[in-house]
Amino acid sequence: MTSLDPVSAVNLTNCDRELIHIPGSVQAHGFLLVFARSAEDRLIVVQASENAAEWLRVSLNQIIGGSCANLLGEQLSSELRAEFHSRPDSRSSHYLRSMQLASGEQVELITHSLGERLVVEFERAEEHVSPARLNKTIVNVVAQLETIHDIGELARTITAEIHALTGFDRVLLYSFDEEGHGTVVAENNGGKLPGMLHLHFPATDIPKQARHLYLLNRLRIIPDVDYEPSPLIAADGSDEPLDMTYCVLRSVSPVHREYMRNMGTAASMSFSVVVEGKLWGMISCHHATPLSVPYVVRSGCDVLTRIVAAQISAYDRAANFAEAIRLKAVERDLLTYMTLEEKYVDGLTNHPDKVMELARATGAAFVLDDTCLLMGETPNEAGVRLIADWLRNTGRPDLFATDHLSSHLSAAEGFLDTASGLLAISLSQVHRFQILWFRPEMIRTVHWAGEPRKRVSEVGGTIRIDPRHSFEGWSELVRQRSEAWSAVEIEAARDFRNAMLFIVLRRAEELADMAAELEFTNKELEAFSYSVSHDLRAPFRHISGFAELLLIDESDKLTDKGKRYIEKITQSAQFAGVLVDSLLNFSQIARTKLTLRAVEMEPLVREVWDDVVSQEMRGREIEFTCGHLPLVEGDVNLLRQVWRNLLSNAAKYTSKRDLARIEVNAHRDQQQYIFSVRDNGAGFDNRYAHKLFGAFQRLHRIEEFEGTGIGLANVRRIIARHGGQTWAEGKLNAGAVFFFSMPIPENL
């Protein structure tokens, strides 16, 4: 036969890796048999705890491989076969009944099945407890629920009832936080053990595999911490180590037993408080001396614990539902503000209090491409940009939340007073649009049940981690953390992001439809203007030509007044011809395919300026300066038109100055170059600057300065096709500055 005890050599160095679900042994207050079905449907023992021989008063050789009928009688064998058939692979313990062994010992039978194995535990029966008393306790607790309205009062009630039912010296109810640390929220103490109300227990006290076990099997009992484990025995090579997850008698880790001794506890019992499938907390019972609790009492306590879990779930759901409704109303208001504004972002920035209320934040920030808008208490703009860049560059998800930002971003230690906590959403990975909510540092004192860090010691050359020896109050000042973001607040931010995406997409669809309509209309207008201007050129030439012939051939027959009329006709026809040519050029600009290449702006400007001087500024006193102009990528012929229009305009509107001053400059602004043409000419009223670049728009009478009103419209159209913008600034009789931007080329 083979012993199946895989943890006999545990040395506390690997608590988180200890296989506590297969300890390979049972506690001493009972024994365990594992049955398999034979071909004749008989139950045969394939594993047994070593102490079964003592309990059954037969040798282990007779037990292993023996039949249930021979060992325990035909009646029990029949009941167990029925149990096996009715609850295959049940993976949860089931109370069968009590029985008296041949030795006269009374035991309780608890079963569960694992695949092709039936596990039967025989636990020593304790004194009989009246079911009526248990029922009365449960009924009283349920009745009290109608008057209990918070978790604190509920916790105090349940610990008092379990203390009365079980007789344990100390009964605690503690809850777990997101990091797994436990806090005692209620205690009922008979005075024999130290009080622990409001103390904290570190997550390391309950390793992660133990937490998983508590979810699967909600009850754990240790009647005597100093029990002698009884190993499981199987026929050689006949079985794998038994998974004892659902066993009542499962032996516990040596680490935990040492922990109990350090705590001064000789017996313990615990019930898992499972809420919404998660381990919300534990009801933990401690006794200074060994103590056994009858199965029926444990079952009653388990029922009470499940009632408490259901009530906590109801409280949480009600609170979360109320908060979700409140935040949904805030979201609705914000979305309404967005839809009412031409720029939907203005709907948010104009209502900062609502934006912060959505996440119960003390500050918020919007980062939109190169714009950063702050509201409430936030880091300065540089700090906000640092956080936003970190979120973007480290591939954080579209929604990120933490109450300990400095643990992720060390630079955040510089603004703990405004941004210890961060909740952020991102709406686009292409065009930056991030919303960040902030919470300040919340300094608090945590009272631990003993110093939470485990000690490391060396025993026989082996380094081991010791369970804590002291549970006296130990205080720690917790810093660099904010109030944690609740699940409801995080979900509200997620919902808001999705709603904003819907609005943005809907607005984008509307703009796309408008753009398509405008594109179609523009194409029709361009085709129409091209056709009209082309067809009008000949008539205007004819009018001008025949008027000139009339002056030459019939001059002697015309009066002076008639000659003036014909001169006016000639001038108007010529101007109309120029206007038609300009209109034709304007329509052709949109139809011309761009031929992009590297363009040296400075030589181009000087070339165009020489042409302007020779054609339009002979005999005038001029002071012209051209700063260093960068290399750009563009269509050189179209850019030549831009400079021709701007420099010709500067020459025209400085014509009444004794000394004309014209300056051309450029500078870099982030990812673009800004070019400017400044003059000291007639200027304009800056209130009408937005009209300058429209077709046929003039801010001066034609009698003062001639022109068609098409030149600046051509400039805007050409620059727009190069991905830039145009604008102007001026003051009447004090000159003007015309600007245009060009993207900085990536490959030049």
Side-chain angles (χ1 to χ4, degrees), residues 92-107:
S92 62
S93 60
H94 175 240
Y95 178 77
L96 186 63
R97 64 178 175 89
S98 63
M99 68 171 289
Q100 189 174 33
L101 300 177
S103 62
E105 187 88 52
Q106 195 76 16
V107 293

Side-chain angles (χ1 to χ4, degrees), residues 192-208:
K192 293 183 179 180
L193 292 174
M196 291 188 167
L197 184 61
H198 303 314
L199 293 182
H200 288 64
F201 288 81
T204 52
D205 278 8
I206 306 178
K208 59 185 178 182

Side-chain angles (χ1 to χ4, degrees), residues 260-273:
M260 286 179 62
R261 294 187 187 100
N262 294 345
M263 194 185 239
T265 303
S268 74
M269 180 173 67
S270 64
F271 301 93
S272 304
V273 181

Side-chain angles (χ1 to χ4, degrees), residues 582-633:
S582 298
L583 185 60
L584 185 61
N585 183 48
F586 181 70
S587 64
Q588 285 176 332
I589 286 173
R591 302 156 69 94
T592 303
K593 183 179 179 181
L594 292 180
T595 303
L596 300 178
R597 65 179 180 84
V599 178
E600 295 186 33
M601 288 294 232
E602 194 170 331
L604 179 61
V605 167
R606 295 191 181 279
E607 174 193 329
V608 172
W609 175 249
D610 289 343
D611 288 343
V612 171
V613 170
S614 64
Q615 296 175 23
E616 303 176 26
M617 303 188 72
R618 287 182 179 177
R620 289 177 53 188
E621 190 172 352
I622 308 162
E623 185 180 290
F624 176 76
T625 58
C626 179
H628 173 70
L629 304 182
L631 191 73
V632 299
E633 184 179 50

